[in-house]
Amino acid sequence: MTFSGFRVIREALTGHKGWTPLWRDPDPQPSYDIVIVGGGGHGLATAYHLAAVFGQARVAVLEKGYLGSGNIGRNTTIIRSNYLLPGNQPFYEFSMKLWERMEQDLNFNAMVSQRGILNLLHTDAQRDAYRRRGNAMLLSGADAELLDQAGVRRMYPWLNFDNARFPIKGGLLQRRAGTARHDGVAWGYARAADQRGVDIIQNCEVTGFRIEGGRVLGVETTRGYIGAGKVGVAAAGSSSRVMALAGLRLPIESHVLQAFVSEGLKPVIDGVITFGAGHFYVSQSDKGGLVFGGDIDGYNSYAQRGNLPVFEDVLEGGMALMPRIGRARLLRAWGGVMDMSMDGSPIIDRTPVEGLYLNAGWCYGGFKATPASGYAFAHLLATDTPHETATAYRLDRFARGHVIDEKGVGATPNLH
Amino acid sequence: MTRLSGGLIDRDRTIAFTFDGRAYRGHPGDTLASALLANGVRLVGRSFKYHRPRGIFAAGSEEPNALVELRDGARREPNTRATMAELFDGLTATSQNHVGPLNFDLLAVNDLLSPFFAAGFYYKTFMWPRAFWEKLYEPAIRRAAGLGRLAEAADPDAYDKGFLHCDLLVIGAGAAGLAAALTAGRAGARVVLADEDFRLGGRLLAESDLLDDAPAVDWVAAAEAELRAMPNVRVLARTTVFGVFDHGVYGAVERVADHLPDPGQGVRQTLWRITARRAVLAAGATERHIPFANNDRPGVMLAGAMRAYANRWAAAPGTGGPVTVFTNGDDGHRTALDLAARGVPVAAVIDTRADAVAQGDYRLIAGGMVSDSKGRLGLTSVEVTANGRREWINCAALGVSGGWNPNVHLASHHRGRPVWDAGSNAFLPGAGGPVGLVPAGACVGQGSTAQALADGARKAAETLADLGIAAGQPDLPKAEDRSTAAAAFWHVPGRKRAWVDHQNDVTVKDIALSHQENMRSVEHLKRWTTLGMATDQGKTSNVTALAVMAELTGKGIAETGTTIYRPPYTGVSLGVLGGGDSGAHFRPRRLTPTHHWAAAQSAVFVEVGQWMRAQYFPQPGETHWRQSVDREALAVRAGVGLCDVTTLGKIDVQGADAGEFLNRIYANMIATLKVGMTRYGLMLREDGTAYDDGTCARLAEDHFIVTTTTANAGPVFRNMEFARQCLWPELDVQLISTTDAWAQIAVAGPKSRALLDRIVDGFDLSNAAFPFMACASLTVCGGLRARLFRISFSGELAYEIAVPARYGHALMARLMEAGADLGVTPYGTETLAVLRIEKGHAAGAELNGQTTATMLGLGRMVSARKDSIGAVMSRRAGLAEDRRRLVGLVPVDPAQKVVAGAHLFTEGAAQDTANDHGWVTSACFSPHLGHSIGLGFLEDGDQRLGEVIVAANPVEGQSVRLRVASAHFVDPEGGRQRD
Amino acid sequence: MLIPHPLLGLRDAQEFTYLGDAALIDRPDPAAGEDAFCDYVFLRDNPAGVHRELWYHEQGDRSWLVVTRNTLTHEILGAELARDVALARREGRA
């Protein structure tokens, strides 16, 4: 079925009888050419690109819960390509270009909304750093603008300019950045992959790998053994758990990141704003909720929930920056498990086990990478060569000394 | 007026308030909702999506409909539940989310178009043409969406945070909570009792049942009085425990002044972090409704809420007209009885149970159901279908009772899933609940008053026994003990829309469509339809919705499962979570010892992390900061300048193995440092990257002073403690941070020796006696102990002198006085930066955690003759192969500027990521050289001295040709600092 | 969260700074070479369950602690002074 405004009108007039399931619920087949472990955003995007771009017909996605149950449905929906380092920026810009055509590719409105991201700066040193970053963005073909304080005031005159501990001195703006409806991305990829023959198997947890002679043959699951020519793992916060089943240790720790949404409000914030002197970023959803967050809790966790000090820390930043939000209410807080890597950048690579591939280490930034991650992982799985924008995301970069450390904090995952 | 007699309101006093500009009156004890009902107001709001007219639905925090903007101006508070807003004199409330007047909302057109707005419709359209999403569709959606309006000015009120510790936290002060608190309080346990209501009692206030043959409020009043008199008990009314966190930490918000016109000198709300050894969750239960066609009209409300309004607030639902009740259990009959007893006409009770029996003098329609309703802005009649017959019954209000959902929310905050109890047709707290949290009373299915009282007392005693506190059982009053069970009747079948989630306009049909489209798991259902995601978090809708889904899948409710609840239990203001740490108080300000002195000199200050540092010292006639900075920098190079450098981290290292320890901390050799000398030191991270630099002075064989950069003062100390305690615990070494203990002032410039000579107590400062890099303990100014280091950040003859912090101000003043004839000049961080760039010293922009010692030109400092943190990893191929080097940069055209953040390219090369050869790290105007200079990292920079390259700064539309130079613009041989 | 400090009793976790896996105590011998250090610096077991980890009482007595905590439930099973752990391991190795 093709979605369109016309279709919506026709169904509305005929009692919605024609809508069909968004995807099938197939039983697993005995084997597939490629099995993707993880039915979140990255896994589904990988499956979609395998089928749509690389002509792979026999692909399955195994998801231990319901599809889209991980970080794809728990993030703060920001998309952007405002990175500094050459290992990252071209990849995220590739991702941005895929976001820009996603709805047409998928025939699904994921509500990609390019309303801009503004990173506020508060010191001269920050301005220098953002100038360097803005230039890196422009040099990679992305867009960037460096605003002075007046420029920020024009966009958001009600920010705290006059009573601030760390006065706003300007900001780095990427207008093409913005947000997308997180669940919609998962559903759009799932539906498009399903339409192209991918089997999405929910409630199917991988419990082991069958490995012989250093080569993976398939996966043991709660729904039986499934043979596979290749296995791609895109398990985000569970990456270490899954790869441990194959005997591998990763340069990754799992940490909880909390996110927050306020009750619905009439629109006040058009784009995304990040506070450069505290741990706070915010946007406003189409429904009207302020969607915001801050730092990870900072300790290893698989609990998908966090603690009270982060609520306070985030809102101290929020109130310092936007004192008018004080009487709005927090509606909901939740947590996701982040695969925090040792340099803050991801891994899309083969592993020492032949036929076993890894897509992990997205830290708290995996959402914006979803399309490019899926594309690049599909590229690697299908061709055994890395996509041109993802050549730096090697698993051995730590040993070789080629880390991609945007923050410059080293092998301390909770600081990335 | 539809005010009844009796109730818990103070009729002696009258409170004036307005709603949508109209004046009304109420009484102390009223909520906005009860006062509106008592004034005959039924229409109070509009739904989120279809803008359907809505009235008050509930009597507590579960209210989905009656949301208002409370107060106005900077105190405007959107989405306030009228049911939770305590009436105060002068209260103003405004309905929200409509265009045009509330009774003629233009956006109600959405309701007519509702077939087009079925669940998930927006995922299927608005995709063409692509650019129209941001330009047309989304702005229209955004304007229509949202609920209330945020205030336009900063929140004027103050917020506070507090910490409480107790043996037992009791959450909820209804029958179970009061019994638990009494049990624990009498046992001497430290108790905190919190309730979201402004009056203790919970449902006891809403029911007409007697306790020990007296009104329940009498018992409640006695219990409250006893609890408040106990020194070991703290009673917090108007306090919502909103979240359960790890290890017995609970978040609670006390609405200290929300019931007052304004907080005056006090705070509006307080955030309590309650650390409780154990907690009893006595959160009660929330009534559920039964969806039927057009069940969302003003006048349709929960039957239990109706009873609460009549009994507690003496407010008749439905402007005093006849009332009907629709129920699937005995509970609805209680409403009919109470209303009738208070003189409200009851038109009929419609009970889904064929065997239902009337419990009083009212018309009972057994085996019936309400199948439709009428009344555009308020209910006028309901259609009843029973035994195959349909009948319209005129009524002004309908109470709906579908059974009670235990308030299990807090019990699932640690992701434990509630479990279905087929016996009571309800979800009860499941395994995996928070450790130490014990549910009691109605929230665990013990819903009659007698059950709740007994369960509360028993759970408290059992829980305290765990803590070794023996508690007796209190004498509990005789109480009603009726069943609260309801039949498994979830919705009235029909073809019209029947609302499940009132606020988000999710109907039974939407759930069916969700099922049809394979959005069947409860999480997919929630996300596809937005069910339960409104401000009420689905308190009145979630369980009903998944019962409907279970019916569609045929799987049963237990197997269908439920979503889990997340904090906060009800909305918590963002202001109270931020507490007082906002505005200028967002973070503490650390002031240097000379701060007030500098302020008196009219210094301009700048934020450096938490520190405030003097940035420059403008003099009369200087109108631009550059004038001040140029003057200060030239004064240092020509004479002598003073700068407070206290913010640099200072770590005192002592012990027999201090030298060996520092050898392992620093990349370069330290153990060989002679007593009385200082050495520049470089620290690496264990991954081999350059981390921090500073000086290391040896005051004695076993005593060193380590300095760090300002930014890394804390982290370096932490890492050194890690090394001391975890890596090399066998070494005899002790550390302490003395950053705040010593004021340190840089005395820099060719006349610095002359100046210092005037304050030292007979100390020989000659080059021979106190050479470059010397250090010493001495006294100055006639006996003040001090430390002197001959180190230079500027490249000039220079010293840093440290005195106990409390003498910093005096020392600065003395130096200024003593050096007046030498032209002594205070300088700030700007000049400090100019001097160090001129000298080519790395600072934060170069030591940014991404660079190596080799890149910094310090590769040879990494000693291969010893182990130190980062030494092994610094030799990894990727680091060794990095060809970027720190260079100096000078504009070819001296009129042009070097700009930090520009990227470096070979002249003529395409300017893209692939050809990027580095970047400018720092830049300034050098008054010494008379033109702009910079530092930067450049590919093969050490091989390219003299080459002309391009600094591209496209983000500011600039491109400048630069010549590569030595990073040491001033005195590259270093003679000045040594002589 | 509350950390049971072996000397000071239950302290709020906000007083502490977290580092991570307690294996960071076991710094390799410098002669062990790059591979051993890469393993030490970058690779983690990252278990979903019991985890021994380093916390620093930065706003307190500056003790480094080895805390045993379940990463699924956040339950804390114990805490020791990291210095004691390090010394004990040394004896074990010697």
Side-chain angles (χ1 to χ4, degrees):
Chain A
M1 173 184 295
T2 302
F3 286 161
S4 66
F6 171 74
R7 182 84 198 200
V8 168
I9 292 168
R10 201 178 80 188
E11 289 298 330
L13 298 175
T14 56
H16 297 287
K17 292 191 176 64
W19 297 121
T20 54
L22 288 156
W23 44 75
R24 300 164 293 131
D25 274 321
D27 287 323
Q29 294 173 29
S31 73
Y32 294 89
D33 292 343
I34 298 176
V35 164
I36 305 296
V37 181
H42 290 229
L44 293 166
T46 302
Y48 163 76
H49 286 108
L50 278 170
V53 178
F54 297 98
Q56 299 287 331
R58 290 177 24 84
V59 176
V61 177
L62 311 184
E63 167 53 47
K64 72 176 175 191
Y66 60 93
L67 73 86
S69 55
N71 295 338
I72 188 74
R74 293 169 190 275
N75 61 77
T76 43
T77 79
I78 297 166
I79 61 174
R80 57 186 171 92
S81 58
N82 59 353
Y83 281 71
L84 171 70
L85 299 176
N88 276 329
Q89 177 57 16
F91 173 82
Y92 286 100
E93 178 52 25
F94 174 54
S95 200
M96 184 56 76
K97 290 192 168 71
L98 292 174
W99 282 113
E100 287 172 326
R101 47 177 249 219
M102 175 176 288
E103 276 106 4
Q104 288 67 34
D105 283 354
L106 301 182
N107 177 234
F108 196 87
N109 188 357
M111 293 173 241
V112 173
S113 177
Q114 295 178 289
R115 286 176 285 116
I117 184 166
L118 177 62
N119 304 121
L120 297 173
L121 64 91
H122 308 263
T123 65
D124 292 344
Q126 267 183 329
R127 184 183 292 110
D128 291 348
Y130 277 148
R131 189 182 292 115
R132 180 184 169 205
R133 181 192 292 225
N135 284 327
M137 292 160 66
L138 288 168
L139 293 167
S140 79
D143 65 306
E145 293 167 47
L146 195 60
L147 304 185
D148 58 9
Q149 196 205 55
V152 174
R153 257 188 211 269
R154 272 193 296 278
M155 290 186 77
Y156 297 106
W158 47 269
L159 296 180
N160 181 7
F161 291 94
D162 303 322
N163 181 34
R165 174 68 180 83
F166 298 102
I168 297 166
K169 293 189 173 170
L172 180 66
L173 174 66
Q174 185 184 24
R175 289 192 192 273
R176 285 165 62 243
T179 58
R181 169 83 186 122
H182 56 7
D183 287 326
V185 176
W187 300 336
Y189 276 124
R191 174 171 165 272
D194 176 85
Q195 285 175 339
R196 286 162 179 77
V198 172
D199 281 359
I200 302 168
I201 301 161
Q202 304 184 64
N203 302 308
C204 178
E205 182 171 358
V206 169
T207 55
F209 292 91
R210 194 172 290 178
I211 297 169
E212 282 177 19
R215 177 172 185 85
V216 68
L217 302 178
V219 291
E220 308 286 353
T221 80
T222 49
R223 295 178 69 173
Y225 175 75
I226 301 172
K230 293 176 178 176
V231 177
V233 174
S238 297
S239 297
S240 294
R241 280 207 261 196
V242 173
M243 296 309 277
L245 299 173
L248 297 175
R249 293 171 82 213
L250 301 181
I252 285 174
E253 285 180 4
S254 294
H255 283 258
V256 64
L257 175 71
Q258 300 192 66
F260 307 88
V261 64
S262 79
E263 296 176 352
L265 301 161
K266 292 297 177 195
V268 286
I269 301 173
D270 195 44
V272 183
I273 304 173
T274 74
F275 182 32
H279 313 295
F280 180 72
Y281 58 89
V282 64
S283 65
Q284 188 170 16
S285 76
D286 285 347
K287 273 189 76 189
L290 304 180
V291 181
F292 55 94
D295 269 355
I296 57 175
D297 270 42
Y299 43 79
N300 286 47
S301 175
Y302 285 91
Q304 288 190 319
R305 61 182 178 80
N307 273 294
L308 184 58
V310 169
F311 284 55
E312 299 175 50
D313 184 59
V314 166
L315 267 311
E316 283 166 11
M319 286 299 290
L321 182 65
M322 305 180 165
R324 70 181 287 197
I325 67 174
R327 302 178 93 88
R329 292 186 195 82
L330 178 69
L331 170 62
R332 203 164 49 239
W334 64 95
V337 180
M338 308 290 125
D339 36 336
M340 302 298 295
S341 71
M342 288 291 155
D343 62 355
S345 294
I347 296 154
I348 303 177
D349 203 358
R350 284 171 284 205
T351 70
V353 178
E354 203 184 332
L356 180 60
Y357 299 73
L358 176 66
N359 173 322
W362 294 98
C363 300
Y364 48 81
F367 179 66
K368 73 183 94 69
T370 305
S373 166
Y375 197 111
F377 201 32
H379 189 287
L380 180 69
L381 282 159
T383 70
D384 268 314
T385 55
H387 185 258
E388 59 178 355
T389 65
T391 54
Y393 296 151
R394 291 170 57 155
L395 187 54
D396 66 359
R397 69 174 182 268
F398 302 95
R400 288 165 52 248
H402 288 284
V403 296
I404 316 164
D405 186 351
E406 291 269 336
K407 283 197 175 170
V409 295
T412 314
N414 60 343
L415 298 182
H416 283 294
Chain B
M1 284 289 283
T2 51
R3 188 69 90 177
L4 307 171
S5 60
L8 305 176
I9 51 171
D10 176 5
R11 287 167 201 269
D12 294 339
R13 283 179 52 214
T14 298
I15 292 176
F17 70 101
T18 69
F19 175 65
D20 278 348
R22 274 195 67 182
Y24 298 98
R25 285 170 184 281
H27 298 288
D30 264 327
T31 62
L32 174 60
S34 70
L36 285 170
L37 282 174
N39 280 280
V41 177
R42 287 200 294 174
L43 175 64
V44 295
R46 291 276 172 172
S47 67
F48 177 73
K49 187 156 110 178
Y50 300 141
H51 290 255
R52 301 263 297 183
R54 290 291 165 77
I56 292 157
F57 187 69
S61 60
E62 71 273 28
E63 174 62 39
N65 285 343
L67 306 184
V68 299
E69 291 174 356
L70 194 73
R71 307 176 190 261
D72 49 22
R75 290 198 167 94
R76 183 165 69 205
E77 200 184 299
N79 309 331
T80 301
R81 296 157 173 82
T83 52
M84 295 298 285
E86 207 172 329
L87 213 58
F88 58 84
D89 212 25
L91 177 149
T92 57
T94 313
S95 60
Q96 56 183 39
N97 197 36
H98 50 86
V99 174
L102 176 60
N103 61 6
F104 196 82
D105 179 2
L106 294 174
L107 281 175
V109 66
N110 286 0
D111 194 33
L112 299 174
L113 297 174
S114 65
F116 303 100
F117 299 159
F121 80 97
Y122 31 75
Y123 296 111
K124 302 170 181 171
T125 182
F126 304 133
M127 287 179 278
W128 188 90
R130 208 179 86 183
F132 274 33
W133 174 249
E134 282 93 345
K135 290 195 173 66
L136 186 69
Y137 304 129
E138 190 183 42
I141 291 170
R142 287 172 77 85
R143 269 196 303 277
L147 293 166
R149 296 166 303 159
L150 209 52
E152 276 159 35
D155 186 349
D157 288 342
Y159 297 90
D160 203 0
K161 290 182 183 177
F163 296 78
L164 292 173
H165 297 262
C166 59
D167 297 315
L168 189 71
L169 168 67
V170 180
I171 302 163
L178 286 170
L182 283 171
T183 304
R186 288 174 188 171
R190 289 180 306 157
V191 177
V192 172
L193 172 64
D195 195 286
E196 62 178 351
D197 203 333
F198 57 89
R199 185 163 182 155
L200 304 191
R203 277 303 296 185
L204 293 175
L205 306 178
E207 306 293 2
S208 58
D209 304 298
L210 305 177
L211 285 180
D212 275 345
D213 303 320
V217 290
D218 294 353
W219 182 82
V220 172
E224 181 174 354
E226 182 180 343
L227 289 167
R228 286 192 186 274
M230 291 182 193
N232 54 324
V233 176
R234 177 147 187 167
V235 178
L236 293 171
R238 302 186 175 94
T239 301
T240 304
V241 177
F242 65 81
V244 189
F245 301 94
D246 282 315
H247 310 151
V249 174
Y250 295 77
V253 168
E254 182 180 9
R255 289 173 294 278
V256 178
D258 278 354
H259 60 297
L260 304 173
D262 69 68
Q265 295 302 305
V267 299
R268 178 186 171 218
Q269 297 179 347
T270 296
L271 176 69
W272 291 110
R273 191 187 295 185
I274 304 173
T275 303
R277 299 173 73 196
R278 295 287 189 277
V280 166
L281 177 66
T286 300
E287 196 167 20
R288 57 192 176 222
H289 67 109
I290 306 171
F292 60 89
N294 292 309
N295 60 326
D296 64 330
R297 300 189 193 281
V300 179
M301 57 169 52
L302 294 172
M306 221 172 223
R307 209 152 74 223
Y309 285 117
N311 290 332
R312 176 173 173 185
W313 286 291
T319 64
V323 173
T324 47
V325 175
F326 178 29
T327 185
N328 61 358
D330 286 348
D331 213 75
H333 295 259
R334 293 171 75 175
T335 301
L337 290 170
D338 282 4
L339 290 176
R342 290 186 168 272
V344 179
V346 176
V349 173
I350 301 100
D351 194 321
T352 62
R353 300 172 300 176
D355 57 354
V357 180
Q359 297 173 16
D361 183 20
Y362 50 78
R363 179 183 172 201
L364 171 70
I365 304 176
M369 53 200 175
V370 175
S371 47
D372 204 349
S373 75
K374 283 183 186 167
R376 191 175 76 84
L377 298 177
L379 188 68
T380 55
S381 58
V382 294
E383 182 193 66
V384 176
T385 302
N387 309 319
R389 282 203 309 276
R390 292 183 187 192
E391 170 189 4
W392 283 92
I393 298 175
N394 288 337
C395 59
L398 170 71
V400 183
S401 176
W404 292 80
N405 290 326
N407 288 334
V408 300
H409 305 69
L410 268 64
S412 65
H413 277 188
H414 288 191
R415 301 186 59 82
R417 290 198 176 266
V419 292
W420 181 249
D421 177 47
S424 60
N425 277 325
F427 279 99
L428 300 180
V435 174
L437 180 77
V438 182
C443 77
V444 70
Q446 301 292 308
S448 79
T449 309
Q451 285 174 330
L453 287 166
D455 199 43
R458 186 174 65 245
K459 297 276 174 64
E462 287 171 5
T463 304
L464 291 174
D466 278 358
L467 302 178
I469 300 173
Q473 289 290 297
D475 285 335
L476 295 170
K478 188 160 55 99
E480 63 84 19
D481 196 14
R482 282 169 296 206
S483 163
T484 52
F489 185 94
W490 297 100
H491 71 108
V492 178
R495 293 177 53 206
K496 292 183 180 172
R497 284 178 296 165
W499 271 256
V500 179
D501 181 328
H502 285 67
Q503 191 180 131
N504 269 356
D505 281 322
V506 181
T507 65
V508 172
K509 280 177 149 184
D510 289 315
I511 298 170
L513 183 58
S514 191
H515 174 261
Q516 181 181 332
E517 298 191 278
N518 197 19
M519 286 295 203
R520 293 175 191 176
S521 89
V522 288
E523 289 287 349
H524 281 156
L525 168 66
K526 167 179 123 181
R527 292 156 184 264
W528 186 244
T529 63
T530 74
L531 176 113
M533 297 176 89
T535 60
D536 58 329
Q537 284 211 55
K539 287 191 175 64
T540 57
S541 60
N542 275 356
V543 174
T544 306
L546 54 93
V548 172
M549 180 57 87
E551 184 181 295
L552 289 163
T553 59
K555 280 184 170 173
I557 296 174
E559 195 185 339
T560 301
T562 175
T563 57
I564 56 166
Y565 299 95
R566 304 173 193 287
Y569 175 66
T570 55
V572 174
S573 75
L574 304 185
V576 79
L577 291 169
D581 298 331
S582 63
H585 305 290
F586 169 54
R587 290 289 181 261
R589 267 173 225 267
R590 294 176 78 183
L591 305 184
T592 66
T594 63
H595 183 88
H596 299 294
W597 175 85
Q601 315 304 310
S602 308
V604 172
F605 292 96
V606 64
E607 299 79 13
V608 180
Q610 289 188 342
W611 291 100
M612 300 301 294
R613 296 188 71 180
Q615 191 175 17
Y616 54 96
F617 293 82
Q619 296 297 300
E622 292 173 349
T623 55
H624 188 280
W625 65 268
R626 262 282 307 284
Q627 295 172 302
S628 311
V629 173
D630 290 357
R631 172 185 50 73
E632 292 171 11
L634 289 171
V636 172
R637 297 227 181 271
V640 57
L642 303 175
C643 183
D644 188 326
V645 293
T646 304
T647 63
L648 296 175
K650 308 179 204 68
I651 300 166
D652 201 289
V653 184
Q654 300 194 36
D657 296 323
E660 174 58 25
F661 177 75
L662 290 172
N663 241 9
R664 300 181 190 184
I665 296 292
Y666 280 110
N668 51 316
M669 195 65 79
I670 297 293
T672 54
L673 182 64
K674 291 188 171 59
V675 172
M677 292 301 288
T678 307
R679 191 169 284 174
Y680 175 75
L682 178 70
M683 296 182 193
L684 307 181
R685 291 193 311 240
E686 193 67 277
D687 68 1
T689 305
Y691 177 47
D692 201 70
D693 69 347
T695 58
C696 181
R698 190 165 202 168
L699 292 178
E701 196 60 37
D702 59 354
H703 188 190
F704 293 78
I705 307 289
V706 165
T707 68
T708 75
T709 60
T710 299
N712 280 332
V716 165
F717 183 55
R718 180 195 310 152
N719 292 350
M720 286 173 65
E721 281 288 11
F722 176 75
R724 184 181 76 85
Q725 297 175 39
C726 301
L727 300 183
W728 302 300
E730 71 281 7
L731 296 184
D732 175 10
V733 61
Q734 299 295 327
L735 311 173
I736 193 163
S737 169
T738 61
T739 305
D740 294 274
W742 292 85
Q744 195 148 318
I745 294 171
V747 185
K751 296 178 183 169
S752 55
R753 183 184 288 134
L755 172 56
L756 283 174
D757 226 8
R758 298 177 184 181
I759 66 157
V760 294
D761 299 339
F763 188 82
D764 185 356
L765 285 171
S766 70
N767 208 32
F770 198 70
F772 181 55
M773 299 308 271
C775 67
S777 291
L778 70 168
T779 64
V780 299
C781 304
L784 175 62
R785 71 195 170 100
R787 288 170 178 170
L788 190 64
F789 310 89
R790 190 172 156 192
I791 51 179
S792 176
F793 202 42
S794 59
E796 301 299 329
L797 171 69
Y799 304 82
E800 291 186 12
I801 181 166
V803 295
R806 64 186 180 280
Y807 294 102
H809 182 136
L811 177 68
M812 183 63 102
R814 178 68 65 88
L815 286 167
M816 286 299 293
E817 191 186 307
D821 61 315
L822 302 173
V824 65
T825 301
Y827 63 98
T829 54
E830 285 299 324
T831 296
L832 195 68
V834 168
L835 296 172
R836 74 94 187 165
I837 294 170
E838 288 180 340
K839 182 61 186 170
H841 277 310
E846 290 78 30
L847 273 163
N848 68 352
Q850 298 169 328
T851 53
T852 64
T854 307
M855 287 172 69
L856 289 158
L858 304 173
R860 278 175 301 172
M861 285 185 72
V862 183
S863 172
R865 290 181 291 141
K866 66 180 178 84
D867 178 32
S868 66
I869 288 176
V872 170
M873 297 292 268
S874 73
R875 296 191 264 274
R876 276 179 298 162
L879 274 64
E881 287 161 8
D882 198 318
R883 294 294 312 142
R884 294 171 299 179
R885 295 292 179 272
L886 187 67
V887 294
L889 298 163
V890 180
V892 172
D893 172 359
Q896 290 196 298
K897 274 174 68 179
V898 188
V899 175
H903 288 236
L904 303 176
F905 290 89
T906 302
E907 230 181 354
Q911 291 182 2
D912 56 26
T913 307
N915 289 302
D916 199 330
H917 274 191
W919 75 101
V920 181
T921 54
S922 305
C924 68
F925 178 82
S926 166
H928 180 73
L929 298 169
H931 57 78
S932 174
I933 59 171
L935 301 174
F937 288 106
L938 177 66
E939 199 82 25
D940 292 317
D942 50 344
Q943 314 290 316
R944 295 169 78 170
L945 293 182
E947 184 182 333
V948 172
I949 58 169
V950 175
N953 181 21
V955 78
E956 289 171 316
Q958 296 165 350
S959 181
V960 178
R961 297 173 72 229
L962 304 178
R963 193 178 303 281
V964 181
S966 158
H968 308 291
F969 297 97
V970 170
D971 189 27
E973 296 76 29
R976 293 187 189 189
Q977 60 196 17
R978 286 198 193 88
D979 295 336
Chain C
M1 283 211 277
L2 303 174
I3 306 281
H5 191 299
L7 304 177
L8 303 172
L10 283 178
R11 308 297 310 177
D12 197 297
Q14 254 185 307
E15 297 171 5
F16 293 79
T17 300
Y18 181 81
L19 181 62
D21 196 328
L24 287 168
I25 289 177
D26 299 326
R27 187 173 183 270
D29 186 280
E34 276 181 39
D35 289 349
F37 267 87
C38 279
D39 203 276
Y40 167 71
V41 173
F42 294 118
L43 297 187
R44 302 282 191 272
D45 285 341
N46 193 23
V50 174
H51 188 229
R52 281 167 61 75
E53 57 200 23
L54 288 157
W55 294 73
Y56 175 55
H57 199 201
E58 186 144 37
Q59 313 296 324
D61 75 341
R62 305 177 353 240
S63 289
W64 278 92
L65 306 184
V66 173
V67 176
T68 305
R69 190 179 57 96
N70 187 316
T71 59
L72 279 166
T73 62
H74 297 171
E75 181 190 5
I76 292 184
L77 305 163
E80 307 152 82
L81 292 175
R83 182 184 156 83
D84 293 347
V85 174
L87 285 170
R89 288 201 192 199
R90 267 176 200 233
E91 276 165 29
R93 254 190 273 171

